[in-house]
Amino acid sequence: MTATATPPPAAGPRNRIGIGRETYKGLPTTLCAGCGHNSITNHLIKALYESAIPPHRLAKTSGIGCSSKAIAYFVESAHGLNAVHGRMPSITTGAKLADRELVMVGISGDGDTASIGLGQYCHLIRRNVDCTYIVEDNGVYGLTKGQFSATADIGSVQKKGQVNEFETIDICGLAVELGASFVARSFSGDGKQLVPLLRAAFAHRGTAVLDVISPCVTFNDHEGSTKSYEYVKAHDTVLQELDFIPADREIVVDYPEGTTTTVRLHDGSEMVLRKLGPEHDPSDRLAALRVVLEGRSRGELVTGLLYVDPEMADLTERERLPQVPLRDLGEAELRLSPDAFAQLLAEWA
Amino acid sequence: MTATATPPPAAGPRNRIGIGRETYKGLPTTLCAGCGHNSITNHLIKALYESAIPPHRLAKTSGIGCSSKAIAYFVESAHGLNAVHGRMPSITTGAKLADRELVMVGISGDGDTASIGLGQYCHLIRRNVDCTYIVEDNGVYGLTKGQFSATADIGSVQKKGQVNEFETIDICGLAVELGASFVARSFSGDGKQLVPLLRAAFAHRGTAVLDVISPCVTFNDHEGSTKSYEYVKAHDTVLQELDFIPADREIVVDYPEGTTTTVRLHDGSEMVLRKLGPEHDPSDRLAALRVVLEGRSRGELVTGLLYVDPEMADLTERERLPQVPLRDLGEAELRLSPDAFAQLLAEWA
Amino acid sequence: MAHPNGRGAAGQTAAEGLGPVVNDFTLTAATVNGSGSQSANLVLTRALFAMGIPVAPKNVFPSNIEGLPTWFNVRLSPRGYQARRAHTDILVALNAQTWQADAAGMPSGGVVIHEATLPRTGDAAREDCTFYPVPFQRLAKERVANPDLRKYLTNMIYVGVVAELLGIEDAALGSALDAQFRSKPRARSSNLEAIEMGRSYVRESLVKQDGFRVERMNGTEGELLVEGNLAAALGCLMGGCTVMAWYPITPSSSLCEHLIALADRYRTDQATGERRMATIQAEDELAAVGMTLGAAWAGARAMTSTSGPGISLMAEFVGFGYFAEVPAVIFDIQRVGPSTGLPTRTMQGDVSSAYTLSHGDTRHPVLLPGTVSECYEHARLAFDLADRFQTPVFVLSDLDLGMNLWRSRSFAYPQGPFDRGKVLSADDLECLGAPFARYADVDGDAVPWRTLPGTDHPGAGYFTRGSGHDDHARYTESSTAYRGTMERLARKFETIRRAMPAPLCLEEGSEIGLIAYGSSDAAVGEARDMLAERGIDSDYCRVRALPVHADVEGFVARHPRVYVIEQNRDGQLFSILRSELAAALGTRLRSVRYFDGDPIPADAVIEGVLAQEEAPAQAADGLLAAAAATTTTGGRG
Amino acid sequence: MAHPNGRGAAGQTAAEGLGPVVNDFTLTAATVNGSGSQSANLVLTRALFAMGIPVAPKNVFPSNIEGLPTWFNVRLSPRGYQARRAHTDILVALNAQTWQADAAGMPSGGVVIHEATLPRTGDAAREDCTFYPVPFQRLAKERVANPDLRKYLTNMIYVGVVAELLGIEDAALGSALDAQFRSKPRARSSNLEAIEMGRSYVRESLVKQDGFRVERMNGTEGELLVEGNLAAALGCLMGGCTVMAWYPITPSSSLCEHLIALADRYRTDQATGERRMATIQAEDELAAVGMTLGAAWAGARAMTSTSGPGISLMAEFVGFGYFAEVPAVIFDIQRVGPSTGLPTRTMQGDVSSAYTLSHGDTRHPVLLPGTVSECYEHARLAFDLADRFQTPVFVLSDLDLGMNLWRSRSFAYPQGPFDRGKVLSADDLECLGAPFARYADVDGDAVPWRTLPGTDHPGAGYFTRGSGHDDHARYTESSTAYRGTMERLARKFETIRRAMPAPLCLEEGSEIGLIAYGSSDAAVGEARDMLAERGIDSDYCRVRALPVHADVEGFVARHPRVYVIEQNRDGQLFSILRSELAAALGTRLRSVRYFDGDPIPADAVIEGVLAQEEAPAQAADGLLAAAAATTTTGGRG
Ligand SMILES: Cc1ncc(C[n+]2csc(CCOP(=O)(O)OP(=O)(O)O)c2C)c(N)n1
Ligand SMILES: Cc1ncc(C[n+]2csc(CCOP(=O)(O)OP(=O)(O)O)c2C)c(N)n1
Ligand code: SF4
Ligand code: SF4
Ligand SMILES: [Mg+2]
Ligand SMILES: [Mg+2]
């Protein structure tokens, strides 16, 4: 197997591995015009293209929901799997174990992750399965027509006037508390922030959680909603300006002394963070919890890189799997030799 | 229905409602001699007796596991329900909705709660269902013979030498992060701490989470385990000395000025906390997270009342249920009148 | 179906030529979802209903929120048939995406009202239909500035066009608008305006060239027009349900949402805001059924509602309910499976999985409502059965029955109190003499007595568990106790069998018997008339519950050839009958299966029966024939 | 069973009087769990095996860790029968809790070796058995200070007592101790000492008064002694499994734990520590099967193992695997259901739920190993079938087969490579000509081709989903596409039917046919011999898989009366046969059910058959008889 897919013969600019942007596109969306999920798809296409992920190495997984449909809308040529509702994490875990060379990108919704899939979400994080886990978070169940999800903020108002009585389940707060190795929050409307976060997530070895607020224009974009475009724009507290520097590229921008922090990821690439909002050290787990909690209590939506530990062992390492994908092993590597077989049976006689 | 069960005619001391301690006992335990779960049972019997919970008002629920068996071992005359594995929370929620007058006490294990039941656990907390939720936490699956559970600490060693490679799921940290209204940790061997915590949990309106470290003498009480009696005794950092003062009793002990904090619970009872370990304000959610996280990183087991918000609305309040239990409503309260019925059908014609 | 607006069985055509066709045709509006066509369709339906014309509307919508094709079919039938017809007569074509296929699907002699800008090329160039181009977009643009509102009003314009072409009365439209916009006079008037726009365009610019029209008649008097899910919600309310736990899923959600709305209206104390009903959106179906069981254990009448994927997720807990004998009411509004399947299409695919849901030897009563009025009745009944027999009770409806509007005779106000089953109060316990034994068969019907938590008596408590237990609900691993419990549960199931609704049988000594259930009823009724017209008489047995009633066996015994008609691939009721009825009856049974995902039309019934009258299907002929059978059974009429 | 050590069918007695009974009796040790009796039992078993005596040990243990009664039965049979016998001949009574019942359960003429302090009162006062009091506790106390060790060694003393009384050879005990304490010489010697203690007590203080004894014979040569779960684990290893995801549950856990141990031993690179196998303890069964499906989708051979409750929880995901055509191997080591049931007792109760697991029209291949060697073979085969047919494959074993030791001929080393099924590589795609169509039936066998993620070809990718899809795996709600897929899946199932292991049939033209499967095999084989001794010949068809092979139909067609013998209440295979075989054969089928939770004994088979030979059971006689039937079928022999 060679490392790159045969690129289509189209003209136009190409990325590091010689593939054009077109190849990263998917089928036309069937989501509502203006849906935040569509913007995320576009940012994903950009990030995958820029990070030069070989399309055939990409494996896209999701659950069920409008958001989960989105994996059909980028990199059409890659394999994709739409699991049952809330179970993307276990599928992703299994696929990664079978072939550790796959670049796993999972997309889920807030219903898919924070309700029915909450257990699997937490346990994926606990195992630090190497994947990018995007929650397209709109505070409602889009596909079933607008019921509150568990990420809806307390006091948020539904389209027909009902008020949410329950505390939000905070995708990021939860991940940080659980010991996740990469946690970020972003906004579908903020490509400048989201694209470098996605690229860092691809480069990160382990579970990279991205909670991306993604307004549902049909069911949750009205006054009183805390997940509307208007509300998010007004309350977005951006922590850092972000730059992603691939492993093979030098840092070229000149950052004024002392204004930036650099996070070196496992594959040698780097994230350059320039503070914008409140002071925040993304290697400090407690600080990440504080910034999330305090933000929430002030009604602010804190976005940016909340926490990262680039060196935490991922599941394949904890399982001591060989470099060669398990699924490529054959009879010779997997069966006992006839001698060993006979000897084992002799022990049972 | 009157408020108290007919007490048996036994002699000996009786509690406020005239019931003897015997009545709070259950069937003989079938758990291993020395199992932490048995100690918890004894503390529960004491707490229920002292708090004078009417036995017929008590409803005991659990999942599956050695721990879950424990609800058979106290208050034999009360109703109990052993659900399927990991689903005690939903049963408890349903029962409380049906009869808000029930005193719900749920017992679960760390496997039952932190693995298969994690989603239900989180969502019970989110709803603030009025119940006492005890996790008898031994870091292993006792009943299936000693596999690691998700609360096992990273690096903890199994009986046969296997080392746990995964970060613990912290029952308390998670609850605090999720916005629980009452979170405490204790140790099966520390009745002085556990009994007042249990009494406060009964008095609390809302979900009271008690993560009680409860050594499994058969599968997880060896060297290298972080849930053994020895390890816990050596690493227990007790936050406070606790007193529980029922609503109808005056505070009689004279606490030296400034040494105590008092938490007034919803029913008028009070918890008096006298600081023992590090400074901690149990009304500060972030502080609770800090004390848990920092304790864990130092290899300490922090026990005591971690967080409490006595006034958070519970589920019956959020649902605006009437004072009379739903299950006691009859045809008159539940059916439309013939007139209203006819009028409604007319709208559909 | 080949296409939601597909041509019917080969050779079928709409009324040819210009002869008048009154009140007996089908109209299809092809639009885009999320465009608000729903209210236009409803106004049209209600207006026809108000004219006394028996209507049967069916929505065909995508599993998507906006921008995909959707079709609305409304059938007019003077004889009152409500089954889907496989073809349409009048097409309102507003969706450019499907324009060619929609036009191609029309029978010869059909009428096509279409957005004028859609090109009359390709399949749309055909000359055997009447085409009425209408510049919907231009008309809307001239009057409405806001583009969303414009899209919406375009649909209402089509109502005006249709009304004018068919002769729908203003008064009928008015009352339909009243119903639709009850408390929104502004909306009512702008919608009326749009209708008027359509009407006047027809008057001014078109010449009627077809024979389809409507006339006031007396076919809907005293009838309701209601979806099965709303009827079921009312049944739950009247049945005394106080705890409803749910997780959204199409096509079940609307049952729960209707019930919430009813509770808001009828169970809420205006003064205090207190609500005599808990309606909890659970985190998933496992939790929803757990809450239901927990509430029922504590004595409330409790329910949940879901569809196929949720049924699968409930499997473990339902087995617990069976073995521990805890009541629960579980609605399954069936959609097309397996797996996620086609979430917005209809099927009767969960019959066998609901009936024996869970591992081990389990078996559950299943109600099979066949009409919206039975949705109401069975919903109510389910709570009585669950309490009486202390076991989970399923109500299997489907998307067609649940989400489409159906005409129905009015619903009866319930007689008598709730049947709360065998519950011992503290006083009862006091009088009992012997200690209370939770699982003892004291009455010989294998149904034990229970107590509720909170009962103020020292002997009231007992322990509920899914593991081995004896008559006193004590834990035991004794084989004798286990076998005793399992044998009693089997006997209890026979008690249940006798208590379930008997089938409705229509018999006149025909050779042929038809067995069907649920939403197939409409198609079977119509098919029997059509068969009779061809000289083929058939008797009919509509099964209304599982376990199957003994009367069903009697029906089979009286008919040499019995066709079991159902909307699934595997002949699920057919299999149940094969294995439960007397073995000697097995050779009489034949299977007719329709599994296209749209409601079964009468044609499919007829075709399925006739094909096997000529050459018996191999389904009953065992394994050697099975491979062949899988290609010949099923499929559309 | 009435009692784990209960009296057999009425009137059965152990060898009466003092006549010698050699190698043909059953011994039961009644102890307390958590006391370490397990190793004593194993040493006894292995010693008898080493003497060439066919042994069949069975454990009866509680769902509990310590302090509850447990029984170990070991049957010796010169003819090699391995089925459980309903009664025992020699009782070793060490448990005061069950002493009375254990003694009461002995047949007349039996032998009771008991802790001397247990009182010979009540049922234990009987005079028709030989009682040997042994002061186990005192003997242990005299020698061992540590109380835990003492409790443990008490059990080993009983081995010595039994060895001396029956005549077990020292050499055989020695080799059994070698096997048991392979790398622990210290433990070996203290155990040997305990055995010696028992031996010398008998020599010094007891006089042999009974006729039971053992003699070296040649009945185990070339045989293995192995649990089904270990055999299956080896099958998984040899079958190329590389991803195993599990959640602990009795009696499945040991399969996974054996597999982990085998992987530690055979799949681990000594130099690097790398492990050519992932074994993940999932958070629950939903995740376990999800990981399995995910891994298999990505091309690994993947499996999970569970028991009833886990099967129920996997229902939704398994339906996904069926419809989206993703391989998976799922072991179900069956225990007593429904619900939590009796976790440490055996049953064949999940046959029908596994076969049609999930909502909608679904159907899954199910392997039914009947011996430990088939546990090994079927495990291996399951991976081939899953890959070949791209669908979840079940292997249904049970607690009896899985957790007890069985004698078996040795296992064959696999011939030939793995069958990875229809997988297209990048090169294949290059040669394909046409675009790859994931779900097209290109070969006429209804089995499509697939590609794996990571295949370096721009045409390799496709989309896997549980919702509607066409041949190119594109999303669609088209009825035609849906029906096409479902019809192809039904045809694929017929291809699968032909590929499943055929039944093993033993036929000699008898009138009576017996059908059984799984762990009932041992009892049926023995029952046939016993029936033959009574002059009743029977033919035998052991079903080894679902869907049922056409040969089964042939077998039924050749026999006027066919008894379907199974270990569940509802006659699950019986029902499947009733509904799938040619209807005309239905009247031949009769159902014999045993559902006590302990392994079916030959007696129960005989009794079930004879009762119906005299008066046919009503099970085949339909609904009117059903109520009566539930009380008469089932139950013990
Ligand atoms: C087991 C199961 N239950 C319920 C559903 C119905 N369902 C489909 S999508 C969805 C929620 C989707 O919400 P979210 O994940 O937030 O995605 P969004 O549509 O908002 O992007 C639900 C409940 C289902 N498909 N499967
Ligand atoms: C669905 C299901 N899966 C697995 C099991 C098997 N099982 C019984 S108890 C248990 C774990 C118990 O662990 P924990 O909750 O920690 O309780 P403990 O025994 O340690 O007190 C498991 C996995 C089950 N009963 N049901
Ligand atoms: S309903 Fe909401 S979430 Fe779904 S596609 Fe439309 S805007 Fe997006
Ligand atoms: S196995 Fe462990 S948890 Fe279970 S009863 Fe024994 S000591 Fe307690
Ligand atoms: Mg959402
Ligand atoms: Mg535990």
Side-chain angles (χ1 to χ4, degrees), chain A residues 37 67 109-112 136-142 149:
Chain A
H37 303 351
S67 35
D110 42 322
D112 201 60
E136 301 190 346
D137 188 350
N138 54 18
V140 288
Y141 291 8
S149 81

Side-chain angles (χ1 to χ4, degrees), chain C residues 105-404:
Chain C
M106 289 301 290
S108 191
V111 171
V112 180
I113 300 160
H114 64 101
E115 161 58 39
T117 56
L118 295 174
R120 286 285 307 281
T121 54
D123 282 324
R126 55 193 292 186
E127 297 291 334
D128 60 340
C129 292
T130 309
F131 283 78
Y132 297 112
V134 180
F136 290 102
Q137 286 166 25
R138 182 171 53 78
L139 290 173
K141 206 179 245 164
E142 280 167 11
R143 303 279 189 100
V144 190
N146 176 318
D148 277 351
L149 191 60
R150 194 191 303 152
K151 204 162 59 169
Y152 170 80
L153 284 181
T154 306
N155 294 297
M156 211 45 90
I157 298 176
Y158 103 64
V159 176
V161 170
V162 167
E164 188 63 25
L165 280 170
L166 296 180
I168 300 175
E169 297 168 3
D170 273 340
L173 282 168
S175 74
L177 286 169
D178 288 344
Q180 190 71 13
F181 303 102
R182 215 173 284 281
S183 49
K184 299 172 193 148
R186 277 264 296 284
R188 186 190 189 285
S189 79
S190 63
N191 278 280
L192 183 57
E193 221 173 281
I195 290 175
E196 268 313 315
M197 236 148 59
R199 266 207 198 284
S200 48
Y201 181 81
V202 174
R203 278 195 303 266
E204 288 159 19
S205 316
L206 295 177
V207 178
K208 170 113 175 157
Q209 292 168 327
D210 67 278
F212 295 102
R213 58 186 178 77
V214 300
E215 257 175 29
R216 177 168 283 277
M217 62 178 277
N218 202 3
T220 63
E221 208 176 299
E223 284 190 337
L224 311 175
L225 192 62
V226 63
E227 308 103 283
N229 281 352
L230 177 53
L234 180 62
C236 294
L237 205 76
M238 297 303 284
C241 175
T242 52
V243 175
M244 187 272 280
W246 68 302
Y247 189 69
I249 187 166
T250 308
S252 149
S253 301
S254 68
L255 196 167
C256 304
E257 287 168 330
H258 283 310
L259 184 51
I260 292 169
L262 289 173
D264 285 344
R265 184 166 167 189
Y266 294 108
R267 289 273 186 86
T268 307
D269 189 309
Q270 296 311 324
T272 62
E274 278 177 7
R275 208 150 158 277
R276 295 185 302 281
M277 172 135 194
T279 54
I280 308 287
Q281 187 181 318
E283 60 272 31
D284 60 19
E285 290 87 350
L286 291 95
V289 73
M291 292 176 194
T292 303
L293 287 161
W297 173 69
R301 306 202 118 186
M303 63 160 281
T304 184
S305 181
T306 186
S307 190
I311 293 293
S312 284
L313 288 172
M314 292 177 185
E316 192 198 13
F317 239 145
V318 168
F320 170 85
Y322 172 80
F323 193 49
E325 302 181 61
V326 182
V329 171
I330 304 170
F331 287 84
D332 177 2
I333 316 302
Q334 297 165 97
R335 67 188 207 184
V336 171
S339 194
T340 304
L342 306 179
T344 58
R345 297 290 191 274
T346 196
M347 188 152 290
Q348 300 179 313
D350 302 344
V351 175
S352 52
S353 77
Y355 185 42
T356 58
L357 193 67
S358 212
H359 61 281
D361 290 303
T362 55
R363 210 136 284 214
H364 316 289
V366 178
L367 290 163
L368 298 166
T371 63
V372 290
S373 119
E374 276 182 0
C375 289
Y376 163 74
E377 295 287 353
H378 284 187
R380 236 168 17 90
L381 177 61
F383 292 94
D384 283 352
L385 293 172
D387 269 354
R388 178 134 45 115
F389 298 113
Q390 303 165 37
T391 200
V393 172
F394 286 90
V395 186
L396 257 63
S397 172
D398 63 28
L399 183 139
D400 182 26
L401 201 49
M403 291 187 72
N404 285 317

Side-chain angles (χ1 to χ4, degrees), chain D residues 424 429 432 434-442 448-450 459 471-473:
Chain D
L424 293 170
L429 289 164
L432 208 61
F436 162 55
R438 167 69 179 98
Y439 293 114
D441 177 10
V442 288
W449 289 80
R450 64 172 178 147
D471 278 2
H472 284 84

